[in-house]
Amino acid sequence: MQAFTRHTGLVAPLDRPNVDTDAIIPKQFLKSIKRSGFGPNLFDEWRYLDVGQPGQDCATRPRNPDFVLNQPRYAGASVLLARENFGCGSSREHAVWALDDYGFRAVIAPSFADIFFNNCGKNGVLPIRLDAGVVDRLFAAVATQQGYALTIDLPAQTVTTPAGEVFGFDIDPFRKHCLVGGLDDIGLTLQHADDIRAYEARRREEAPWLFG
Amino acid sequence: MSAKTLYDKLWDAHVVRTEADGTALLYIDRHLVHEVTSPQAFEGLQLAGRPLWRRDAIVAMADHNTPTDPGFTEIADPVSRTQVETLDANARTFSLEYYRIGDARRGIVHVVGPEQGATLPGMTVVCGDSHTSTHGAFGALAFGIGTSEVEHVMATQCLVQKKSKAMLVRVDGEVGPGVTAKDIVLAIIGRIGTAGGTGYAIEFGGSAIRALSMEGRMTVCNMAIEAGARAGMIAVDDTTIEYLRGRAHAPRPEHWEQAVAWWRTLHSDVDATFDALVEIRAESIEPQVTWGTSPEMVVPISGQVPDPAVEADPVRRSGMEKALAYMGLTARLPVTAIALDRIFIGSCTNARIEDLRAAAAVVRGRKVAASVKQALVVPGSGLVKAQAEAEGLDRVFTAAGFEWREPGCSMCLAMNADRLGPGEHCASTSNRNFEGRQGAGGRTHLVSPAMAAAAAIAGHFVDVRGF
Ligand code: SF4
């Protein structure tokens, strides 16, 4: 997993609440058995005017000029600014793989759906919760300022605006540890293999029917 | 010891170790696997050279991509076929319990798991699928996970988790005739919103929940995730225990009494406290219909499409306007004026035998309206299909003009060939009305099986209570 420490990136605003993972990556692209290559189909139904199919060359597809990611001023954005309950719905990790593949390193929103939030952390994409009032102000600032970029410092848990205003955010210590180090949490869990075996032995006594 | 909630009891029974920051390593008893969210996990496991920790915890089947055409033998779409063949190969490599295409028990993983007794009270159940919350109906802690977590469970039989807060949703009283588990859960989501349960594990309780069959309880817990809660759960009682007796994976006779004794403790203590409480009177619940593109955009059948102009919050107002534009509806339209192009009776929410019985009871002796292009019934599993056929329900549906299909997810998410065309309105018994969910440009209205059946006959929504 790619480590996340400090990142400064152009902000793209996606101004709608309850963006679900079906919208982030539509179902026809979930047929892939790979983990990569989802970026061109990120927000496919909003981004293109035709219906996308897996394996298509997206470069030649008609784009929806109104969709935020198609506006030249947001080309190369790596921080997505979103509204409440971002990533709700399906558990598909493909949604995070698509954001990552597109080039987003962080998503800022007032709230996230739980499964999506977890999936982000497993892929080096940082989900940042900020107060709805702060998010409102960021939306207003992005709209008025071309090239609006934010600096995210994970070790310090801060988001800094171009004007130097600093907002702190919360993150679980364990998630932070994994993200900052780019660590594989399976490897970490396997360091406790003896504890898992001890639990299983105890459980097998208490509830033998759970073991076949 | 202080009083515990059901969630506390399930959590405590599965903690392998707790870190200083409160993160726990949680042991997973049952892992359900399907073809869409598992290939990258199996690949990751093999690339890292790690063995599967516990083969016998897994039950696997393909459901999302599988065709539903009667008697199909092969998958025409090569990409879908590759995904199913990848699961076939992984099931062979890892010697998994696998219900392949052609197996009479195969179906939607959330219908088949409980049917086989693979979901038991007191278990932790996970699957790379958000509707894993369904299994909480058995007094289990069941929640959906992403593919990285699927791999984590395969490699370690555990997940790193932080405990959620606990919410109690109490539905007391008695629902009126024609009001089902689906209406109860849609009414709950309408009340608390699609993010209302975020960060919580929801326990559903109260006399109206206790009165539900296991099928109905699964419908309610299935949609906990639509209220934002990863897990929904219902306490164990006689209904739970009777449902499990004799199922393939139920405890063997020598363990049955011991298991039941523990199961009977799986309820919240009377003086347990919750972080949030929501109370709804069952009598106040009417049959529900969603009008928008989020399950919280729901109104009773006697209601109208709401008017964004009266919404004070600007973000919500603009969300409502976008939803109305997508759905092709106007504010204040009576729900009964919404005409339907297609009808879908199926999905892990509502494709169990009881659902098909309820729909068939409405359809019997009637015809699907000529204006409806297609009406599908897709049983949740091979066993549900066989049971329905034994009861003659298939003939009730086909005589009315419905298509009777093979089990699978089908038009719930339209990964196979069953889907809506752009602009088409569908009365669907599934769980998500998101934009494009049932086909690009498709317009989904979530309803109960009886309401979907009545809409098929009328060609537009009608109140099934007077139908
Ligand atoms: S029926 Fe629908 S909701 Fe259920 S598992 Fe299949 S796709 Fe998901």
Side-chain angles (χ1 to χ4, degrees), chain B residues 63-64 108 110 129 131 222 347-348 409 412-413 431 437:
Chain B
D63 52 9
H64 284 61
I108 306 170
H110 307 307
D129 193 288
H131 292 102
N222 176 273
S347 89
C348 58
C409 294
C412 172
L413 94 164
N431 44 42
R437 169 80 178 181

Side-chain angles (χ1 to χ4, degrees), chain A residues 90 92, chain B residues 34 63-64 108-111 127 129-132 134 222 225-226 344 346-351 408-415 430-432 437:
Chain A
S90 156
R92 58 188 71 166
Chain B
H34 69 73
D63 52 9
H64 284 61
I108 306 170
V109 67
H110 307 307
V111 176
C127 175
D129 193 288
S130 57
H131 292 102
T132 310
T134 309
N222 176 273
I225 184 67
E226 290 350 302
F344 173 62
S347 89
C348 58
T349 316
N350 279 130
C409 294
S410 180
M411 208 190 274
C412 172
L413 94 164
M415 257 184 102
S430 57
N431 44 42
R432 290 197 170 129
R437 169 80 178 181

Side-chain angles (χ1 to χ4, degrees), chain B residues 169-448:
Chain B
V169 175
R170 280 190 72 106
V171 189
D172 277 310
E174 233 180 280
V175 290
V179 177
T180 67
K182 181 66 162 288
D183 303 303
I184 295 176
V185 72
L186 283 172
I188 292 169
I189 296 165
R191 167 82 80 86
I192 70 176
T194 43
T198 303
Y200 289 94
I202 299 181
E203 179 175 346
F204 298 98
S207 55
I209 300 291
R210 302 245 62 83
L212 294 173
S213 64
M214 285 317 296
E215 282 86 349
R217 294 179 190 186
M218 283 189 260
T219 300
V220 171
C221 289
N222 176 273
M223 290 193 73
I225 184 67
E226 290 350 302
R230 261 181 119 171
M233 62 194 77
I234 294 174
V236 175
D237 62 9
D238 289 342
T239 306
T240 327
I241 293 164
E242 286 317 309
Y243 177 95
L244 289 167
R245 210 181 278 279
R247 306 241 164 213
H249 284 275
R252 287 198 297 272
E254 66 267 32
H255 295 137
W256 178 261
E257 288 308 324
Q258 189 190 356
V260 169
W262 185 48
W263 296 349
R264 291 216 181 267
T265 68
L266 297 174
H267 53 77
S268 290
D269 295 333
V270 277
D271 43 354
T273 54
F274 290 81
D275 302 292
L277 172 67
V278 175
E279 290 179 291
I280 297 184
R281 285 304 305 177
E283 294 80 7
S284 71
I285 302 174
E286 289 183 53
Q288 306 280 310
V289 181
T290 66
W291 58 268
T293 53
S294 159
E296 70 185 18
M297 294 174 166
V298 66
V299 285
I301 182 67
S302 62
Q304 299 175 337
V305 174
D307 187 350
V310 301
E311 172 61 54
D313 178 67
V315 176
R316 288 184 64 92
R317 190 187 320 127
S318 111
M320 289 170 76
E321 284 161 356
K322 285 194 176 88
L324 284 184
Y326 181 84
M327 294 298 287
L329 297 173
T330 47
R332 301 185 190 280
L333 184 77
V335 173
T336 50
I338 301 174
L340 283 321
D341 301 289
R342 292 182 203 262
I343 310 294
F344 173 62
I345 297 177
S347 89
C348 58
T349 316
N350 279 130
R352 298 181 179 82
I353 189 66
E354 195 177 270
D355 301 313
L356 303 192
R357 286 180 190 139
V362 173
V363 165
R364 195 179 297 275
R366 292 162 151 161
K367 293 274 184 227
V368 172
S371 56
V372 171
K373 292 178 204 162
Q374 185 185 37
L376 283 181
V377 185
V378 185
S381 72
L383 296 188
V384 168
K385 179 168 182 269
Q387 175 70 29
E389 288 172 354
E391 296 177 19
L393 304 184
D394 57 325
R395 292 187 297 282
V396 172
F397 287 117
T398 51
F402 278 88
E403 297 173 32
W404 180 249
R405 296 296 194 94
E406 294 294 327
C409 294
S410 180
M411 208 190 274
C412 172
L413 94 164
M415 257 184 102
N416 72 352
D418 309 333
R419 64 186 66 157
L420 301 181
E424 289 180 345
H425 286 268
C426 178
S428 178
T429 66
S430 57
N431 44 42
R432 290 197 170 129
N433 51 352
F434 299 156
E435 284 188 22
R437 169 80 178 181
Q438 296 193 288
R443 295 161 170 168
T444 302
H445 301 274
L446 304 176
V447 286
S448 74

Side-chain angles (χ1 to χ4, degrees), chain A residues 27 30-31 34 93 199-200, chain B residues 13 27 40 77 148 436-437:
Chain A
K27 83 283 275 160
L30 310 190
K31 296 179 185 184
K34 301 206 200 77
E93 198 159 316
Y199 172 90
E200 280 181 328
Chain B
Y27 190 81
Q40 297 87 351
D77 175 354
S148 295
R437 169 80 178 181

Side-chain angles (χ1 to χ4, degrees), chain A residues 24-204:
Chain A
I24 299 174
I25 185 85
K27 83 283 275 160
Q28 63 270 37
F29 306 107
L30 310 190
K31 296 179 185 184
S32 168
I33 56 171
K34 301 206 200 77
R35 257 188 137 98
S36 56
F38 296 100
N41 301 110
L42 175 71
F43 299 118
D44 199 274
E45 287 181 15
W46 292 338
R47 202 161 141 202
Y48 303 98
L49 295 168
D50 61 347
V51 177
Q53 292 308 328
Q56 214 175 1
D57 176 11
C58 292
T60 59
R61 293 175 59 197
R63 285 168 191 252
N64 172 5
D66 297 336
F67 184 60
V68 55
L69 296 187
N70 291 331
Q71 295 167 16
R73 62 181 285 197
Y74 299 118
S78 60
V79 176
L80 186 67
L81 182 64
R83 293 290 186 183
E84 64 185 38
N85 201 26
F86 187 83
C88 61
S90 156
S91 65
R92 58 188 71 166
E93 198 159 316
H94 313 66
V96 181
W97 298 336
L99 287 163
D100 180 40
D101 198 51
Y102 181 91
F104 283 115
R105 299 291 338 267
V107 185
I108 298 176
S111 60
F112 293 89
D114 291 337
I115 302 178
F116 175 84
F117 191 86
N118 262 312
N119 288 344
C120 279
K122 310 275 181 187
N123 292 279
V125 174
L126 178 63
I128 300 174
R129 289 191 199 103
L130 292 180
D131 281 348
V134 172
V135 170
D136 263 344
R137 282 170 50 202
L138 293 178
F139 266 101
V142 173
T144 50
Q145 243 176 285
Q146 286 261 10
Y148 190 88
L150 289 170
T151 297
I152 296 158
D153 187 329
L154 178 54
Q157 298 181 211
T158 56
V159 175
T160 307
T161 69
E165 206 178 352
V166 180
F167 303 107
F169 62 89
D170 286 335
I171 182 168
D172 292 339
F174 180 74
R175 200 184 309 269
K176 176 173 168 180
H177 175 67
C178 289
L179 274 163
V180 170
L183 300 176
D184 160 17
D185 61 350
I186 295 179
L188 295 177
T189 297
L190 284 172
Q191 293 174 2
H192 304 302
D194 288 345
D195 289 340
I196 303 172
R197 283 192 204 96
Y199 172 90
E200 280 181 328
R202 177 159 55 81
R203 220 37 204 154
R204 208 180 272 276

